[in-house]
Amino acid sequence: MEFNIDDLPILFPYPRIYPEQYAYMVDLKKTLDAGGNAVLEMPSGTGKTVTLLSLIVAYQMYYPEHRKLIYCSRTMSEIEKALVELKALMKFRTERLGYEEEFRGLGLTSRKNLCLHPSVKREKSGSVVDARCRSLTAGFVKEKKEKGENVDVCVYHDNLDNLEPHNLIPNGVWTFDGLLRYGEQHKQCPYFTARRMMQFCNVIIYSYHYLLDPKIAERVSKDLSKDCIVVFDEAHNIDNVCIESLSTDITEDSLRRATRGAQNLETKINEMRDSDQKKLQDEYEKLVEGLRGADEGRQEDAFMSNPTLPDDLLKEAVPGNIRRAEHFVAFLRRFIEYLKTRMKVRQVISETPPSFLAHLKEYTFIEKKPLRFCAERLTSLVRTLELTNIEDYQPLQEVATFATLVATYEKGFLLILEPYESDTAEVPNPVLHFTCLDAAIAIKPVFDRFRSVVITSGTISPLEMYPKMLGFVAAVQESYSMTLARRSFLPMIVTRGSDQASISTSFQVRNEPSVVRNYGSLLTEFARITPDGMVVFFPSYLYMESIISMWQGMGILDEVWKYKLILVETPDAQETSVALETYRTACCNGRGAVLLCVARGKVSEGIDFDHQYGRTVLCIGVPFQYTESRILKARLEFLRETYRIRENDFLSFDAMRHAAQCLGRVLRGKDDYGLMVLADRRFRAKRTQLPKWINQALLDSDTNLSTDMAVSNARRFLKGMAQPFRARDQEGISTWSMGDLRAHQAKMADEQIRELQEREGEREFGGGVGGKGAGGNGDAESDYDMDNDDEAELMALDGR
Amino acid sequence: MSRNKSFASRGGTTAASLGLPAPISGDDMCPVCKTIRYLNKDMEFLINPECYHSMCSNCVNRLFNDGPNQCPYAGCHRTLRRKGFRSPFFGDLTVEREVDIRRRVAAVFNQHEDDFETLRDYNNYLQMVEDLTFGLVSGTEARRRDAEAQLQQWEAEHKIDIERNRKAGREADELSRRRIAAERDAARQRRIEAIKEAEEEKLERVRNREAELDTMADAPEGGAGGGAGAAGAGGQRVELKRRKQTNRAGETGAAAAGSGGGAGAGAGAGGAATTSDVGRLSIRGLKDKRRAPAPEGPYDPFGGMDFVPSRYKLHEGLSHPQIDKYRDRAHNTGGYSFEEYAARAMYEAFAGLAVFIEDEKEVGIGLSAGKVAGISAGMAAVGSDEMEID
Ligand code: SF4
Ligand SMILES: [Zn+2]
Ligand SMILES: [Zn+2]
């Protein structure tokens, strides 16, 4: 269908539109017009991606700025899905407009997924593929080849140089499959095609890391202009991605290998000094001049990546005492030896970067400044030495990156040395965690660079938490409710078992037989009444294991077995995917199955259980994080000190966002239906932290149910769902045709006029405007309050 | 913190040719008495910076308790003393030795970046020091002797600067140490407070709940409303407390920032060396601190701005019927200067000439037109306010 928002004509590739989709577009347009950031929460299964794409593409094509879209998603499959949607959208536009627009949309993923080289692509690990590819495609390799030396190159890569650099691939939207096929036909590398075409695309779809991980972002995304529209989809975990991208762990083994790397470097330097002194001298002179090498322009074959540094530093010359290759290697060795000594300490140490640096200086005479240049200097050296087997230098590079980060950031990072794996371990296995505590650091360049950043997800409540944690101001913050013609999902909070005893996975009671039995009977009951598939989430693997074995002893699993096949998620990805496959088959044939999984596992994040694959989701216990972790504790403290987010608020928020993710798994569209059961008495106090669309559908009477009440509710609901339901019933309510949309637009326009008039009136009388959005804040805050149990649990964990 | 490793003596190493031992493998067997760690769990290895040969503490006691003795390593003929032994900081003894040498070098070459004219000079200096260090650590016999000589020469020549920088460095270290400690303390304090606050809040909540129950018990009818009211009040109290906490955050931030400066203040030393012997060191770009600073002139409130008119010239005895009348006595008695008046009149006449607003806008000096408008509007507003009050 076609319609206008303000003056912007939008082509929407479906004959009907959901009201929330329309609202989403309106808000999105507002954000783009005003320039600024937005946090938008849109119920899962309401076609968020297509909404987003059709608005932004319309925006791009209509306005003269042609602002580029950078769409970031989390997984490869999500990226591919988005590309397919985009392709369909463009096809629709072409049909409607009668001509093909000048448009190019590309996705980027790792070399591992896009490589065509017959032997390289067979490598299992992504980093090996990267390293091998680099050794085939590096600039000097090509030079050597031209000189007639016998070196291996990749034809797929070299063929690209025969093409026009801005037109490596025709216009259109290229899915990964399409790109691979095109690459195979024209014998050109899909990975580099996508990388090099990035600047010439209207829409880029790739993973978060290409923007957030400073080591990658610098190379891949630096050419993108300021007025790009950046969208982070499925962004409910974005803070963790940010943090992970800046954190490193150093182990004794990695230090050993780093030492070996340093030794290799030394030999190479000596070799080169004997054979090709000039290259070293050239590099040295460049460093003296403070030039960032001219050939660095073609950064795509850069061997190693550097974390971003403040710009002023990048312009400065490399300090004199690490300019010479041999000086630098000695410098590295001293640093590594120092770290090795630190690792020998047998007690837990947590230290801030300044204190680490002070100690380092005292014992090794390494100053902060050369340390900051460490990563960059190493990259330069590796390039000069023309090393090809980069994977050998990976650990060395990790150490160098760590050095750079620790010397660059005083705040927001912490070093934690844990000599033992667990409290009970006898044999030391020290790990030095260099952990980033502040999610805002990694994402700051993104907000600084781009005018509009949109953060969106199906579950991103409470909205105000994200701007706070990521350090930005949101111009638009909106959570949409779900319009439904019938109540197609039923959220319930079960607080008591059938014997009226309250149920909870809180630390004190989680292993009590009565609680375990109550959970067991809840499972059995729902397994009995649920048609087809059912998914059960536990707070942790540990708890899942223990409760399953207890259920086994109580004969509960045998009972469940009567109704459904039982499958279990494990930390092993391979096993889990087999289990999922079996689960799917079971759901399509016969009685269906129960999948037992973990609220923070792979299943809860990436797998959809639409239609028969998921009719019930049962969330057993509030999925709190494991609070004993020192890293988490440090982060909590940081959040409290810096952003005034209290520990309990954050833990509760974090638990609820995972719970919401789990719930969202079963409802993937408006014609879908499902039961959402939250089984823990503590959920009652936390219901306001659920996304708006779930919370709205949760009746007050359903927040304090016992097992049998919940079961009879569910029965009634399922009976209702079994009634025939035609698409026509949704017309005008949960889906709009063109007519409905016009009516709505007219109504909105009227309202706007009225509002304006009213405001005029108010102004004339000198009355206060404002005050509208201010309410509600007060009680929102106390919503985070944990109840006593939570605290008791946290304390119990602390005291252990 | 792991400062528990003893790190005693300033190494008095005169770097001489030593066959450096390979780093002790596995550090599990004493190379002298062949005791293995298995037999002596807390075996400790010691080294003597004379030759960096490591041996277990038992051996050290056995061999050196009765006075100086020869190193038991075959081929090493150094005489070692008991008190020279210490436990090494690094596992790799070559690094241990290198760092000892660095300690000496760093004590002498302790210039700061701000002692140099340009960054480049500083970087050249750093490289020179590094080269020298390399000479000491791993140079040939001759190179080492050269480096040693250079080091001593530099030390002799720049005694005062070195001492000054050393002192400044110590102070800076002390300062930063104190700052780190203060920060740590503050963090601990805040943590304790947060815990206390949480406890209080919890207590408060319990108390509220009790109060609620009490009111309910007291007033069987319509009690619910009262209860809710009480709870509301409690909530407000908690709210207030939180706000208080937020304010505190600002203060601590300011305190931490306060102790930043005060490092720097290094002094450099003379540039060109006059006599030249063994590859005598000369460092370019070092700021000449010996030259006395230019004497400070009188204080200039306008910071060097020149008020001599450039577009006209004031001549003595300016005369014009309009102003001549001010030249009389009656005007001059109060200290009034006619010259002053004439100068001002001229200044005002020429003010604004040759100022092109377009240029000013681009460069952005002074107030922008918008700002001026804003100010005048503001003044107008004030004015009108006053009028209203009147
Ligand atoms: S250039 Fe492309 S095809 Fe060749 S090895 Fe690298 S990723 Fe594979
Ligand atoms: Zn011994
Ligand atoms: Zn010896």
Side-chain angles (χ1 to χ4, degrees):
Chain A
M1 67 201 280
E2 290 178 50
F3 55 91
N4 277 21
I5 293 179
D6 303 333
D7 57 332
L8 177 68
I10 290 172
L11 293 173
F12 188 70
Y14 295 99
R16 306 223 177 319
I17 188 168
Y18 297 153
E20 49 273 41
Q21 290 181 317
Y22 179 74
Y24 190 90
M25 285 190 193
V26 171
D27 283 332
L28 197 55
K29 178 167 182 301
K30 232 187 285 167
T31 316
L32 297 183
D33 284 342
N37 310 318
V39 186
L40 303 173
E41 180 178 69
M42 172 102 145
S44 57
T46 50
K48 181 166 21 93
T49 313
V50 71
T51 314
L52 220 146
L53 289 174
S54 47
L55 181 101
I56 293 179
V57 169
Y59 200 91
Q60 242 176 24
M61 299 323 260
Y62 183 72
Y63 293 113
E65 299 98 6
H66 301 301
R67 291 169 68 180
K68 196 182 275 195
L69 166 66
I70 306 171
Y71 179 97
C72 304
S73 202
R74 266 179 334 178
T75 61
M76 163 100 170
S77 68
E78 276 161 5
I79 294 170
E80 182 76 352
K81 250 191 272 172
L83 282 167
V84 172
E85 298 253 23
L86 180 65
K87 197 169 172 140
L89 171 68
M90 293 318 290
K91 190 158 155 263
F92 177 77
R93 285 182 73 94
T94 313
E95 277 165 18
R96 275 304 169 97
L97 296 169
Y99 61 92
E100 201 161 328
E101 287 164 298
E102 178 95 352
F103 185 91
R104 203 182 263 130
L106 277 176
L108 182 63
T109 172
S110 62
R111 286 185 177 84
K112 184 171 183 321
N113 299 323
L114 287 179
C115 183
L116 285 178
H117 190 281
S119 85
V120 175
K121 76 171 174 200
R122 237 173 290 132
E123 295 288 353
K124 290 233 167 46
S125 118
S127 56
V128 176
V129 175
D130 286 356
R132 283 201 54 194
C133 170
R134 284 189 189 121
S135 55
L136 293 175
T137 57
F140 65 82
V141 174
K142 206 170 154 224
E143 274 167 34
K144 276 192 185 157
K145 178 94 184 172
E146 273 158 14
K147 272 188 243 154
E149 279 177 54
N150 184 21
V151 282
D152 284 335
V153 291
C154 176
V155 274
Y156 293 94
H157 176 261
D158 292 352
N159 282 345
L160 284 176
D161 295 337
N162 306 329
L163 300 169
E164 282 177 84
H166 60 274
N167 198 16
L168 300 175
I169 193 165
N171 275 342
V173 178
W174 295 92
T175 59
F176 289 138
D177 273 345
L179 193 62
L180 280 168
R181 237 174 293 128
Y182 184 88
E184 196 54 85
Q185 273 163 20
H186 295 78
K187 292 278 170 276
Q188 71 187 61
C189 170
Y191 174 77
F192 283 103
T193 308
R195 272 277 292 270
R196 293 189 191 171
M197 289 309 288
M198 211 105 282
Q199 305 171 53
F200 308 104
C201 278
N202 301 64
V203 175
I204 302 164
I205 301 185
Y206 57 31
S207 136
Y208 282 12
H209 295 277
Y210 291 103
L211 270 187
L212 292 183
D213 191 330
K215 285 168 257 144
I216 310 176
E218 172 60 17
R219 280 178 294 146
V220 176
S221 307
K222 69 170 180 228
D223 295 322
L224 304 172
S225 68
K226 181 168 169 43
D227 64 352
C228 289
I229 301 163
V230 179
V231 175
F232 289 101
D233 199 358
E234 304 296 325
H236 46 270
N237 255 344
I238 194 168
D239 53 320
N240 291 335
V241 178
C242 290
I243 280 176
E244 275 157 29
S245 73
L246 284 178
S247 301
T248 24
D249 282 357
I250 291 177
T251 60
E252 275 187 332
D253 182 53
S254 71
L255 285 179
R256 246 194 311 277
R257 290 192 300 157
T259 311
R260 218 173 306 138
Q263 274 160 1
N264 285 352
L265 277 185
E266 205 168 356
T267 355
K268 289 277 187 231
I269 292 172
N270 288 337
E271 277 171 23
M272 185 166 256
R273 196 175 307 121
D274 296 337
S275 64
D276 202 350
Q277 170 77 28
K278 191 172 159 300
K279 282 212 176 88
L280 280 176
Q281 192 57 31
D282 283 351
E283 180 201 31
Y284 169 76
E285 262 147 35
K286 227 186 298 171
L287 293 176
V288 171
E289 293 303 326
L291 296 177
R292 294 293 172 270
D295 53 332
E296 278 169 52
R298 278 278 293 263
Q299 276 278 357
E300 74 177 17
D301 55 1
F303 277 102
M304 289 180 175
S305 35
N306 306 320
T308 34
L309 290 171
D311 271 348
D312 53 325
L313 196 90
L314 275 178
K315 288 191 195 87
E316 217 188 290
V318 168
N321 45 2
I322 56 171
R323 279 197 305 219
R324 270 198 205 292
E326 60 270 24
H327 291 172
F328 177 60
V329 173
F331 176 90
L332 276 179
R333 282 182 56 169
R334 227 172 334 136
F335 185 61
I336 297 170
E337 284 303 317
Y338 171 80
L339 290 177
K340 278 187 183 163
T341 304
R342 293 297 304 264
M343 295 287 243
K344 289 202 192 109
V345 179
R346 290 289 167 260
Q347 57 198 348
V348 178
I349 290 170
S350 75
E351 213 179 0
T352 58
S355 124
F356 173 84
L357 290 177
H359 190 260
L360 173 71
K361 188 176 163 204
E362 193 176 331
Y363 285 93
T364 59
F365 301 92
I366 288 178
E367 303 259 355
K368 182 169 159 182
K369 200 161 151 199
L371 210 56
R372 269 173 112 176
F373 282 88
C374 215
E376 205 203 333
R377 181 67 187 90
L378 181 62
T379 313
S380 160
L381 182 60
V382 167
R383 195 184 305 123
T384 311
L385 294 177
E386 304 187 343
L387 300 176
T388 44
N389 44 344
I390 314 293
E391 60 268 37
D392 296 352
Y393 299 94
Q394 207 70 33
L396 188 60
Q397 197 220 342
E398 269 165 36
V399 171
T401 307
F402 159 69
T404 300
L405 287 174
V406 79
T408 307
Y409 296 105
E410 282 197 0
K411 291 252 155 61
F413 283 86
L414 197 70
L415 291 117
I416 300 175
L417 175 74
E418 290 188 318
Y420 298 96
E421 231 159 324
S422 66
D423 289 347
T424 50
E426 296 270 325
V427 185
N429 179 21
V431 180
L432 180 65
H433 305 278
F434 179 61
T435 154
C436 174
L437 306 172
D438 190 356
I441 293 176
I443 206 169
K444 186 169 178 298
V446 177
F447 285 115
D448 286 351
R449 232 176 76 213
F450 300 109
R451 214 148 43 99
S452 305
V453 180
V454 178
I455 290 182
T456 182
S457 171
T459 55
I460 190 164
S461 286
L463 298 178
E464 63 277 4
M465 197 67 150
Y466 288 84
K468 228 182 190 176
M469 276 193 307
L470 301 177
F472 70 100
V473 194
V476 177
Q477 239 182 63
E478 203 47 68
S479 175
Y480 306 92
S481 53
M482 195 163 179
T483 51
L484 290 169
R486 58 170 185 172
R487 218 170 151 221
S488 67
F489 65 102
L490 178 69
M492 291 187 284
I493 297 177
V494 177
T495 55
R496 289 163 287 140
S498 9
D499 56 356
Q500 300 303 318
S502 67
I503 50 174
S504 162
T505 57
S506 78
F507 189 65
Q508 304 94 326
V509 299
R510 58 163 53 175
N511 286 328
E512 267 181 34
S514 78
V515 172
V516 173
R517 178 165 293 116
N518 269 328
Y519 274 130
S521 70
L522 187 68
L523 177 71
T524 330
E525 288 299 320
F526 274 92
R528 175 157 47 208
I529 59 167
T530 306
D532 305 323
M534 169 169 178
V535 198
V536 184
F537 288 99
F538 295 89
S540 69
Y541 279 115
L542 218 66
Y543 184 58
M544 179 165 82
E545 269 164 34
S546 85
I547 200 169
I548 286 180
S549 71
M550 277 157 96
W551 280 346
Q552 177 69 10
M554 293 172 178
I556 285 167
L557 292 186
D558 294 335
E559 193 63 24
V560 175
W561 193 252
K562 284 186 195 156
Y563 310 108
K564 304 241 179 271
L565 203 58
I566 303 173
L567 294 156
V568 183
E569 177 189 9
T570 63
D572 181 288
Q574 216 80 41
E575 276 178 46
T576 305
S577 69
V578 173
L580 264 173
E581 210 42 59
T582 322
Y583 174 81
R584 291 235 156 87
T585 325
C587 290
C588 296
N589 308 294
R591 298 176 304 180
V594 180
L595 182 63
L596 306 179
C597 37
V598 172
R600 290 164 184 279
K602 275 255 169 323
V603 171
S604 72
E605 280 288 321
I607 315 287
D608 290 347
F609 297 97
D610 50 344
H611 299 282
Q612 77 272 24
Y613 296 125
R615 288 305 183 198
T616 299
V617 57
L618 177 57
C619 205
I620 290 184
V622 183
F624 280 116
Q625 253 181 98
Y626 174 58
T627 35
E628 190 65 359
S629 142
R630 293 198 178 83
I631 296 176
L632 176 63
K633 277 188 187 161
R635 179 154 183 230
L636 289 175
E637 182 158 342
F638 178 84
L639 285 171
R640 171 163 56 67
E641 302 232 315
T642 316
Y643 295 122
R644 318 307 306 166
I645 299 173
R646 298 184 317 157
E647 273 107 338
N648 290 351
D649 292 349
F650 180 78
L651 287 173
S652 170
F653 149 76
D654 183 69
M656 287 314 280
R657 70 172 159 182
H658 279 96
Q661 263 302 300
C662 298
L663 298 184
R665 291 295 109 198
V666 291
L667 199 73
R668 307 315 293 180
K670 287 204 174 175
D671 50 348
D672 201 356
Y673 67 91
L675 290 159
M676 301 175 172
V677 185
L678 295 162
D680 191 312
R681 51 172 289 268
R682 292 172 297 175
F683 275 121
R684 230 181 123 195
K686 295 182 195 307
R687 84 172 262 205
T688 43
Q689 280 170 279
L690 286 168
K692 188 173 161 197
W693 58 278
I694 297 182
N695 194 11
Q696 258 178 356
L698 178 59
L699 301 181
D700 282 341
S701 57
D702 288 346
T703 56
N704 189 10
L705 297 174
S706 66
T707 304
D708 28 344
M709 284 151 80
V711 169
S712 72
N713 259 358
R715 273 226 171 84
R716 210 171 323 121
F717 170 79
L718 290 170
K719 214 175 266 168
M721 287 297 117
Q723 307 306 315
F725 180 67
R726 287 162 310 238
R728 210 170 345 115
D729 299 340
Q730 300 193 35
E731 295 271 294
I733 306 168
S734 62
T735 59
W736 285 345
S737 63
M738 207 54 227
D740 297 322
L741 181 62
R742 289 236 176 76
H744 174 77
Q745 283 182 327
K747 206 173 99 201
M748 289 320 281
D750 277 354
E751 237 163 64
Q752 213 170 5
I753 291 169
R754 202 166 341 112
E755 210 169 280
L756 275 178
Q757 279 169 344
E758 263 169 37
R759 200 149 339 135
E760 278 299 303
E762 274 174 11
R763 197 168 305 151
E764 261 161 46
F765 289 110
V769 193
K772 223 176 188 178
N777 261 353
D779 46 33
E781 186 137 7
S782 52
D783 288 343
Y784 300 138
D785 279 351
M786 292 199 148
D787 84 12
N788 291 340
D789 280 355
D790 294 347
E791 271 166 35
E793 172 167 8
L794 295 174
M795 258 170 239
L797 281 168
D798 281 349
R800 218 154 36 143
Chain B
M1 293 293 305
S2 73
R3 289 174 199 241
N4 48 5
K5 297 259 171 192
S6 69
F7 209 10
S9 63
R10 299 217 131 202
T13 334
T14 40
S17 74
L18 332 144
L20 272 180
I24 11 165
S25 54
D27 72 345
D28 276 342
M29 188 175 77
C30 172
V32 177
C33 64
K34 313 289 185 216
T35 312
I36 45 177
R37 186 173 296 279
Y38 183 73
L39 296 175
N40 182 3
K41 275 241 168 1
D42 25 51
M43 185 160 69
E44 195 194 356
F45 286 97
L46 302 178
I47 51 131
N48 192 317
E50 281 292 321
C51 67
Y52 294 93
H53 286 138
S54 87
M55 58 197 88
C56 74
S57 50
N58 283 344
C59 285
V60 171
N61 288 337
R62 183 166 49 81
L63 293 169
F64 301 101
N65 259 4
D66 305 329
N69 203 342
Q70 227 187 27
C71 174
Y73 272 65
C76 177
H77 302 300
R78 311 220 140 235
T79 309
L80 309 178
R81 286 166 201 283
R82 175 69 188 87
K83 80 178 203 299
F85 279 91
R86 58 180 162 90
S87 62
F89 181 80
F90 293 99
D92 184 341
L93 291 177
T94 44
V95 176
E96 181 80 24
R97 176 171 162 265
E98 182 187 334
V99 167
D100 281 344
I101 293 172
R102 276 177 194 281
R103 180 169 300 108
R104 277 181 65 217
V105 175
V108 174
F109 289 97
N110 53 6
Q111 311 281 6
H112 280 282
E113 189 176 333
D114 16 311
D115 294 336
F116 291 87
E117 307 267 354
T118 64
L119 178 63
R120 185 146 174 188
D121 291 324
Y122 177 58
N123 278 333
N124 289 339
Y125 160 81
L126 284 180
Q127 189 190 333
M128 184 278 295
V129 175
E130 194 67 23
D131 277 333
L132 190 139
T133 313
F134 254 64
L136 287 176
V137 173
S138 57
T140 56
E141 185 66 48
R143 174 82 189 88
R144 197 175 295 151
R145 234 178 296 121
D146 275 4
E148 192 63 40
Q150 281 175 333
L151 184 73
Q152 274 165 18
Q153 192 184 357
W154 178 273
E155 186 168 11
E157 271 172 26
H158 300 93
K159 258 212 162 68
I160 305 159
D161 299 324
I162 291 169
E163 199 40 55
R164 185 169 43 214
N165 277 345
R166 201 176 286 168
K167 210 167 127 232
R170 264 202 302 273
E171 275 163 19
D173 281 355
E174 183 56 31
L175 210 67
S176 75
R177 212 184 341 261
R178 238 180 288 152
R179 199 178 61 195
I180 291 170
E183 254 162 40
R184 211 177 8 231
D185 279 353
R188 189 169 343 110
Q189 199 58 37
R190 283 195 298 262
R191 203 172 318 149
I192 291 168
E193 266 167 35
I195 291 170
K196 221 163 49 192
E197 203 133 340
E199 295 265 284
E200 261 173 42
E201 227 166 87
K202 209 166 100 191
L203 264 178
E204 189 91 358
R205 217 177 312 146
V206 171
R207 234 176 286 136
N208 278 341
R209 202 169 291 170
E210 274 165 14
E212 200 177 323
L213 288 178
D214 285 350
T215 41
M216 270 190 209
D218 285 350
E221 299 111 317
Q236 222 161 26
R237 232 174 304 156
V238 175
E239 209 46 42
L240 275 176
K241 218 173 285 165
R242 258 186 230 157
R243 221 159 291 143
K244 200 175 68 195
Q245 193 181 21
T246 320
N247 289 340
R248 216 175 302 134
E251 293 164 30
T252 43
S259 46
T274 40
T275 54
S276 77
D277 33 27
V278 229
R280 189 189 175 96
L281 287 177
S282 75
I283 294 174
R284 261 178 302 154
L286 208 50
K287 276 183 197 160
D288 194 351
K289 293 265 164 78
R290 274 180 307 192
R291 207 191 302 139
E296 285 186 14
Y299 173 65
D300 176 8
F302 299 112
M305 188 123 84
D306 191 6
F307 281 105
V308 177
S310 58
R311 299 184 183 279
Y312 56 92
K313 211 164 167 195
L314 273 178
H315 289 289
E316 284 292 307
L318 193 69
S319 155
H320 187 274
Q322 274 297 318
I323 57 173
D324 277 342
K325 58 182 173 200
Y326 296 114
R327 221 191 272 271
D328 61 352
R329 247 214 120 99
H331 279 93
N332 282 344
T333 33
Y336 182 84
S337 149
F338 174 75
E339 265 61 51
E340 196 71 26
Y341 173 74
R344 211 176 73 210
M346 288 301 287
Y347 179 79
E348 277 167 6
F350 278 83
L353 287 183
V355 172
F356 301 101
I357 300 203
E358 295 313 305
D359 300 353
E360 300 262 310
K361 258 195 210 151
E362 264 161 37
V363 189
I365 357 163
L367 290 173
S368 66
K371 253 192 221 156
V372 175
I375 290 173
S376 51
M379 270 151 65
V382 171
S384 67
D385 261 352
E386 273 172 3
M387 261 182 278
E388 265 175 30
I389 290 164
D390 289 346

